Amino acid sequence: MIDLEKDVKYVKGVGPNRVQLLNKLKIYTLNDLITYFPRDYEDRSKPKNIYECIDGEEALIEGTVIARMSEIRLKKTTMYKLVIRDETATCTATWFNQSYLKNIFKVGEKYKFFGKISNKYGKIEISSPVFDIEGKNNNTGKIIPIYPLTYNLSQNTLRKIIENGLELVDGKLEETLPENLINRFKLLNINDAIHKIHFPNEFKEFNQARNRLVFEELLVMQLALLTLKNNNMTNAKGIQYSKDVKMSELICKLPFKLTKAQLRVLEEIDNDMESNKCMNRLLQGDVGSGKTVVAMISAYKAVKSGYQVAIMAPTAILASQHLESFESILSDLGINCELLISSITKKKKNEILEKLQQGKIDILIGTHAMLEENVIFKNLGLVVTDEQHRFGVKQRSTIVNKGQNPDVLVMSATPIPRTLALILYGDLDISIIDELPPNRKKIDTFAVTRGMEERVNNFIKKQIDEGRQAYIVCPLVEENDEMNLKSVIELAEKYKNETFSDYKVEYLHGKMKAKEKDEIMNNFKDGKIDILIATTVIEVGVNVPNASIMVVENAERFGLAQLHQLRGRVGRGEYKSFCILKYQGKGEVVRKRMKVMCDTNDGFVISEKDLELRGSGDFFGTEQHGIPEFKIANLFEDIKILKVAQDVAMKIIEDDPKLQKNENIKFKKLTMQKFGERIEI
Ligand code: ADP
Ligand code: MG
């Protein structure tokens, strides 16, 4: 059998130098090499009439050599010219410094050429073409793969190396999918698929190969996610909350009427809580859709049934805010809430820890500080994590393990397209709040370029003069990027000392101490600061109803979902609010993305567009969603295959939850290879 884990250096044509270049492309083994898929293809299979060749295109032409090659000596270079003709026109092929070509072409013979065409005023040329004599298909006559590359490695070289790699495995790859699936969906076998994804004879073959590989990739992901979900369900017999505690007891005491969507998700949560299965639910809702109150009502039910609740937020500011809203409603009902963040005094902390262990605290709201070992609950029954993408899977499980199979609700304000959410979060049940509370004012959004700077600044001043406050957000590509940090600080200083010198301006960035950040944030909340300049640390959940302007610098550097989050920081009070996206660059995609932001306030629509404009690689490659990157699948294009894969995966897991049956051994191997770190089967 063939050893796919063999070092790529053993492939023909790979010397020490090239090993390093391949490693840069993350190609280490033979397997990596043959699954290094092309990003595009060039069709060198269908010749065009010379007359029809368009300026700038790459084309294959077929013609007879009508004169001997001419050689033109320039200062340092030599140019070779060859005139060819087909039935429609003549064309001059040109090369530089390739003296070996001199004696190759014979007058009167037919050749095929592939290269870049220039067609100026009917004078047609093809520059540095690759060629074959008629009847041969070495460089032309086929579809040629184009690979994503680093510098110093040419397409030709990599293509040759991959060809050599494929020769090693030719026909010897062990089938990864069971035969019944291959027959049922008429899939290519693995050997053909791998060969044809690199070197298809026609595009139909490419499609067949790609379909098969995409199907496999998505099926494996689905199997892994379902296994994960199964683990959660079967291992854990959850708490069964009392049917006598009614959520409506609290709902009728709220100062507002819940939306239909809120009521619907509460019913879903209520059902989970009253059943003996362990709740593992993702609550998705747009910014401002009212997730907090849903968490509060769920917490109420848990507390009244005799359990404690943990609410974990990613920042101290957000945790304090939650405490405030919880207390404003729950204190009167005899429910005891406390805040645990790292900045509280030791004395206060010890007091909290003791009361927590004695069961005198019903709801503990806090940050990562809650993860510490000495935080011990008497009877933890419900865990809520807010803005879940900020926490890793591990942190979630640390807090969950402080109880005995508590119910878990994760809340996320990063909506992803409905169709995908159901499929991608295979390990969680999903509730969606798809409706905003009534009377929300639309936030007017403008995308502007440099030339508008002064008008924007004047507009900000006018708003502040009317009593409002503003955010200005700068992108910090990486928290550790010193250069970038410096430029953010420079800009902040400029705004502070020049542009807005008459106003109270402060800035905030991730490198500051938590205490400093909290202080500035609190001052902003209390209206002591007019303009808050910040890197994206304010992205998450802060609530300052008096702020009416959100300016985003270099908006083109943010993802749409992120911009939407930022915009959600304004429009939280009674005032008309604005979002100004300053952007640079003329690319069409940039403009389209800005337009999406101006056209809609619906987070779900935005996420769908984001996915469409960026492609799923970017969207799901991020740790935000905890989904590994795909080698070949594209969640936007391949949604149909994804659905089929999901159906198949569900049937397989239903029938054989631990993938133990003989026919499923292959799947077990594949899922472990890809997801082994996350799941146990
Ligand atoms: P998010 O989903 O972004 O976390 P919040 O829970 O912070 O949103 O809610 C935003 C604001 O809307 C809060 O001030 C909250 O009190 C208010 N709110 C929530 N639900 C309703 C409702 N049904 N009607 C009116 N206001 C509501
Ligand atoms: Mg929130």
Side-chain angles (χ1 to χ4, degrees), residues 5 45 128 163 180 195 199 201 283 345 389 400 402 434 437 569 586 592 601:
E5 293 311 308
S45 65
S128 305
E163 236 176 276
N180 63 353
H195 187 84
F199 298 108
N201 287 320
L283 176 59
T345 62
H389 65 270
V400 166
K402 290 180 185 289
D434 51 5
R569 298 309 109 215
K586 295 200 167 67
K592 272 193 184 155
N601 269 291

Side-chain angles (χ1 to χ4, degrees), residues 652-669:
I652 293 173
I653 292 286
E654 229 165 70
D655 171 61
D656 181 14
K658 292 192 178 293
L659 299 177
Q660 281 163 330
K661 291 192 178 171
N662 240 346
E663 71 254 32
N664 294 328
I665 292 287
K666 287 181 171 165
F667 287 135
K668 186 162 179 167
K669 210 167 133 193

Side-chain angles (χ1 to χ4, degrees), residues 280-297:
N280 242 308
R281 192 167 278 282
L282 173 74
L283 176 59
Q284 270 208 38
D286 209 341
V287 209
S289 60
K291 294 183 290 290
T292 313
V293 72
V294 168
M296 189 192 302
I297 295 163

Side-chain angles (χ1 to χ4, degrees), residues 256-259 262 286-293 437-438 440 543 572:
F256 43 73
K257 223 174 127 230
L258 291 184
T259 61
Q262 283 171 318
D286 209 341
V287 209
S289 60
K291 294 183 290 290
T292 313
V293 72
R440 281 286 151 81
N543 194 18
R572 306 201 137 219

Side-chain angles (χ1 to χ4, degrees), residues 349 353 368-377 398 402:
K349 186 173 171 189
L353 293 182
H368 293 82
M370 292 169 59
L371 297 172
E372 282 168 28
E373 221 167 292
N374 57 3
V375 179
I376 300 163
F377 290 80
T398 305
K402 290 180 185 289

Side-chain angles (χ1 to χ4, degrees), residues 359-373:
K360 288 180 187 158
I361 293 172
D362 300 312
I363 302 179
L364 187 67
I365 301 175
T367 54
H368 293 82
M370 292 169 59
L371 297 172
E372 282 168 28
E373 221 167 292

Side-chain angles (χ1 to χ4, degrees), residues 291-292 318 322 386-387 411 413 541 572:
K291 294 183 290 290
T292 313
L318 201 56
H322 282 336
D386 196 5
E387 313 292 347
M411 305 200 289
R572 306 201 137 219

